[in-house]
C-alpha cells in the first residue's frame, strides 16, 4: 500500500507540473506572484539552467544554495523528466521530488513530504492491535470448532471393528491400519495359543512315559533287564525333552533377536563339514551317502545361528530320506550377483504340494508318525526360517512327494 500511494503522489506532482506549465514561469514574470498565492501543500521551485533558484513558494530564494548538483536537477537536464526521494535527518519523513525541464531550459521542481513506513505503522498501532486481538479470538473459536469436528469421528471409531465405522476419507487409512493390527494381534494370539498347546502336548508325552516307568521302578519287583529297559526309556524321553526345550530357547532368541554375538566371516563349507561329522552315525546307520561339493562360500554371519540352520537342513535330509539314499550339499559363490547359495538335496519321501506352505510352522510335521519314530521336535525348519531371516537370507523349497526335496538358502554378500 505504501508503494502504491507513493506512485500516486508522483502522479499528482506530475499533473500539477502540467498545470503550472500554463503560467509564464520565466524570472520576474507577474504569474509567479499568482503561483505563490496558490493553495497547495506542495513546494514549487524554479531553477535556472545553471542551478540558481529564482523562485520558491515556501522559502526565500536569496538564502537557498545552488541546485546544480541536485540529482533531480541533473536527471531532468539529461532526460527531461526525473523523480527522486530523500529521507529527512530524523528518518521520520521522506521528500518526493518531480523535476521537469521547461522550454526555456529552466527546471520546474515540485516536491511533497511523505511519512515513512515506520511512522505509518506506529500511527496505526492501535488499529493493528485491535485487529490482532480480533483475529486471535476468531482463530481460537474456529480452531476449537474445527478440532471438535476432527476429533468427533475419532471418538466414534469402534476399535474392535474400525472399518465398519463411517469416517471421512482422510481417516480411512488410519482405520485400515487399526484393522490390520487387530488382525495381526489375533493371528499372534492364535499362534501363541497353538504354540502353548503344542509345547504342552510335546512335553506331556515324554513326562507321562517318564512318570509311568519311574512309578513302576519305585514299586520294585522288576527284574534287572526290565529295569535296564525302563531306565533306557526314561533316558531317551528325557533327552527328547531336553532337545525340545533347547529348540524352543533357540527359537525364542531368534524371535527376540536377543543374540548378542557379533557377525564374522564364516565358511559355509566348513560349517557343513562340522554338521556332517555329527550326523554321520545316523547316516551310516541308514546307509545314506552325504556328499559335499562347491567352494568355501564365505558369508558374514553369527556362527552358532548359521550352524543350527545348516545342521537342521542336513539332519532333515538324512532323517526323512529312504535307506541307502543320497544327500547332496552344494555351496556356490556367485560374485556377479553378490550372492552365496547353499543347496541341500535329498531323494527321500518328499513333501506333498498341500503341505509346502506349512512346513516352516512350529511343531508342524508332514508325517507325524514317522517324525515321532525319528525323534523330531517339529521345530527344525522353524529354526532354519528364523536363522535365515536373522541374516536377511531367502529360502526356496522344491519338492515332489516320493522323489525328494531341495532346500536352497540364498545369502547376500
Amino acid at each position: 500500500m505504501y508503494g502504491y500511494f507513493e506512485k500516486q503522489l508522483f502522479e499528482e506532482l506530475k499533473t500539477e507540473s502540467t498545470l503550472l506549465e500554463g503560467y509564464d514561469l520565466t524570472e520576474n514574470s507577474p504569474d509567479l506572484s499568482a503561483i505563490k498565492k496558490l493553495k497547495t501543500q506542495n513546494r514549487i521551485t524554479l531553477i535556472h539552467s545553471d542551478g540558481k533558484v529564482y523562485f520558491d513558494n515556501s522559502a526565500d530564494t536569496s538564502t537557498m544554495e545552488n541546485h546544480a548538483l541536485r540529482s533531480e536537477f541533473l536527471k531532468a537536464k539529461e532526460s527531461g523528466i526525473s523523480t527522486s526521494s530523500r529521507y529527512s535527518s530524523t528518518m521520520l519523513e521522506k521528500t518526493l521530488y518531480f523535476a521537469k525541464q521547461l522550454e526555456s531550459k529552466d527546471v520546474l521542481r515540485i516536491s511533497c513530504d511523505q511519512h515513512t513506513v515506520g511512522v505509518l505503522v506506529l500511527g496505526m498501532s492501535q488499529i493493528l492491535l485491535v485487529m490482532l486481538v480480533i483475529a486471535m479470538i476468531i482463530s481460537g473459536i474456529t480452531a476449537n470448532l474445527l478440532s471438535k469436528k476432527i476429533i468427533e469421528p475419532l471418538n466414534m471409531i469402534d476399535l474392535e471393528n474400525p472399518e465398519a465405522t463411517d469416517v471421512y476419507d482422510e481417516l480411512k487409512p488410519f482405520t485400515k491400519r487399526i484393522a490390520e493390527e487387530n488382525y495381526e494381534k489375533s493371528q499372534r494370539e492364535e499362534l501363541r495359543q497353538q504354540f502353548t498347546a503344542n509345547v504342552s502336548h510335546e512335553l506331556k508325552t515324554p513326562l507321562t512315559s517318564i512318570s509311568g516307568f519311574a512309578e513302576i521302578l519305585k514299586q520294585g519287583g522288576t527284574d534287572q533287564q526290565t529295569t535296564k529297559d525302563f531306565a533306557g526309556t526314561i533316558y531317551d524321553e528325557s533327552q527328547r525333552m531336553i532337545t525340545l526345550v533347547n529348540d524352543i530357547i533357540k527359537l525364542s532368541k531368534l524371535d527376540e533377536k536377543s543374540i548378542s554375538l557379533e557377525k564374522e566371516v564364516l565358511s559355509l563349507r566348513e560349517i557343513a563339514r562340522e554338521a556332517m561329522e555329527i550326523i554321520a552315525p545316523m547316516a551310516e546307520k541308514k546307509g545314506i551317502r552325504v556328499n559335499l561339493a562347491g567352494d568355501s562360500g564365505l558369508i558374514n554371519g553369527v556362527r552358532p545361528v548359521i550352524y543350527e540352520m545348516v545342521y537342521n537342513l542336513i539332519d532333515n535330509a538324512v532323517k526323512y530320506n529312504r535307506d541307502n539314499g543320497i544327500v547332496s550339499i552344494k555351496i556356490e559363490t556367485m560374485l556377479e550377483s553378490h550372492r552365496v547359495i547353499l543347496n541341500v538335496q535329498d531323494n527321500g519321501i518328499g513333501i506333498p504340494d498341500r503341505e509346502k506352505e506349512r512346513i516352516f510352522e512350529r511343531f508342524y510335521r508332514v508325517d507325524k508318525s514317522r517324525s515321532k519314530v525319528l525323534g523330531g521336535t517339529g521345530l527344525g525348519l522353524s529354526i532354519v526360517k528364523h536363522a535365515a531371516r536373522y541374516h536377511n537370507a531367502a529360502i526356496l523349497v522344491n519338492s515332489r512327494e516320493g522323489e525328494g526335496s531341495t532346500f536352497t538358502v540364498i545369502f547376500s554378500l
Side-chain angles (χ1 to χ4, degrees):
M1 286 179 65
Y2 185 81
Y4 170 77
F5 285 121
E6 185 177 276
K7 288 180 181 179
Q8 291 297 105
L9 286 174
F10 276 123
E11 286 297 322
E12 289 178 12
L13 295 178
K14 182 180 180 181
T15 302
E16 190 166 339
S17 70
T18 303
L19 294 173
L20 288 173
E21 284 186 281
Y23 291 88
D24 182 3
L25 300 179
T26 56
E27 189 175 4
N28 300 321
S29 168
D31 286 354
L32 297 182
S33 298
I35 292 172
K36 200 158 191 174
K37 294 177 182 179
L38 288 175
K39 293 182 179 180
T40 177
Q41 294 181 348
N42 300 332
R43 183 177 179 179
I44 303 169
T45 307
L46 291 169
I47 309 167
H48 277 308
S49 58
D50 60 359
K52 180 183 176 183
V53 178
Y54 65 88
F55 174 81
D56 192 285
N57 67 341
S58 60
D60 183 3
T61 56
S62 62
T63 60
M64 296 178 69
E65 62 182 11
N66 191 287
H67 282 30
L69 298 178
R70 295 289 180 95
S71 61
E72 65 273 10
F73 176 80
L74 293 172
K75 289 179 183 177
K77 292 287 287 182
E78 181 182 342
S79 56
I81 294 175
S82 73
T83 57
S84 64
S85 60
R86 282 194 292 274
Y87 286 95
S88 65
S89 58
T90 59
M91 300 296 289
L92 295 177
E93 285 190 345
K94 184 169 70 172
T95 303
L96 306 180
Y97 295 96
F98 178 85
K100 186 176 184 179
Q101 188 177 38
L102 303 173
E103 291 181 1
S104 61
K105 302 301 180 181
D106 293 339
V107 174
L108 167 64
R109 188 187 71 178
I110 307 174
S111 61
C112 66
D113 294 330
Q114 181 188 24
H115 290 302
T116 59
V117 176
V119 175
L120 291 177
V121 171
L122 188 63
M124 294 176 64
S125 58
Q126 290 183 343
I127 297 173
L128 290 174
L129 184 62
V130 171
M131 289 175 65
L132 179 62
V133 171
I134 293 172
M136 289 176 68
I137 292 171
I138 293 173
S139 298
I141 294 171
T142 305
N144 185 46
L145 294 174
L146 188 60
S147 62
K148 286 181 178 178
K149 188 176 180 181
I150 292 171
I151 292 172
E152 186 178 1
L154 288 171
N155 292 330
M156 292 174 63
I157 294 175
D158 180 5
L159 295 178
E160 297 299 323
N161 191 18
E163 290 187 311
T165 308
D166 185 21
V167 295
Y168 45 84
D169 292 340
E170 290 80 2
L171 271 182
K172 286 181 179 177
F174 178 62
T175 55
K176 184 179 179 182
R177 179 61 181 160
I178 294 176
E180 289 173 355
E181 289 184 355
N182 285 347
Y183 177 74
E184 290 173 5
K185 183 179 177 182
S186 65
Q187 289 293 100
R188 286 196 299 269
E189 180 62 22
E190 185 179 339
L191 287 173
R192 187 191 66 79
Q193 292 176 355
Q194 185 180 354
F195 179 75
T196 304
N198 286 330
V199 170
S200 301
H201 174 74
E202 293 292 335
L203 289 175
K204 183 179 179 181
T205 302
L207 280 172
T208 302
S209 299
I210 292 170
S211 178
F213 287 119
E215 187 177 356
I216 295 172
L217 291 174
K218 181 182 178 182
Q219 291 174 356
T222 58
D223 57 44
Q224 187 176 357
Q225 184 59 42
T226 304
T227 301
K228 186 177 180 181
D229 291 340
F230 284 0
T233 302
I234 291 172
Y235 176 80
D236 291 341
E237 293 296 334
S238 62
Q239 289 301 308
R240 180 180 166 192
M241 287 178 60
I242 291 170
T243 302
L244 176 63
V245 171
N246 285 336
D247 284 350
I248 292 171
I249 291 171
K250 291 170 190 173
L251 270 177
S252 298
K253 287 182 177 180
L254 287 169
D255 270 344
E256 298 169 4
K257 293 189 176 180
S258 59
I259 298 170
S260 57
L261 297 175
E262 292 186 3
K263 290 183 178 180
E264 57 182 308
V265 178
L266 304 172
S267 168
L268 281 177
R269 186 183 180 88
E270 181 185 330
I271 291 173
R273 193 178 295 281
E274 290 178 14
M276 286 167 59
E277 290 177 1
I278 302 298
I279 298 169
M282 180 174 63
E284 289 174 5
K285 188 177 179 180
K286 297 179 65 176
I288 295 172
R289 189 168 73 255
V290 182
N291 300 322
L292 176 61
D295 52 48
S296 58
L298 297 178
I299 63 167
N300 194 35
V302 179
R303 186 179 185 83
V305 177
I306 295 295
Y307 176 81
E308 287 296 331
M309 179 175 65
V310 175
Y311 175 87
N312 277 288
L313 286 174
I314 301 173
D315 184 57
N316 272 8
V318 172
K319 274 182 182 177
Y320 297 99
N321 208 331
R322 58 172 57 95
D323 290 345
N324 302 314
I326 299 174
V327 174
S328 298
I329 305 163
K330 185 179 179 183
I331 300 164
E332 185 179 5
T333 302
M334 304 181 70
L335 295 176
E336 300 82 5
S337 55
H338 304 283
R339 295 185 299 175
V340 175
I341 299 174
L342 167 66
N343 273 302
V344 179
Q345 183 179 13
D346 65 70
N347 58 345
I349 62 173
I351 304 168
D353 289 339
R354 64 183 181 278
E355 308 282 354
K356 286 180 182 177
E357 293 182 1
R358 301 194 61 188
I359 59 174
F360 292 104
E361 293 179 13
R362 299 174 185 188
F363 296 108
Y364 187 79
R365 298 183 179 93
V366 175
D367 188 341
K368 294 178 175 60
S369 59
R370 187 182 179 95
S371 296
K372 187 169 288 187
V373 172
L374 296 172
T377 63
L379 296 175
L381 287 180
S382 290
I383 293 173
V384 171
K385 182 187 77 171
H386 283 73
R389 183 185 297 170
Y390 187 86
H391 290 85
N392 298 317
I395 304 179
L396 303 177
V397 181
N398 185 18
S399 181
R400 287 190 179 184
E401 190 174 6
E403 296 183 14
S405 305
T406 301
F407 286 81
T408 304
V409 184
I410 304 172
F411 296 90
S412 295
L413 289 175

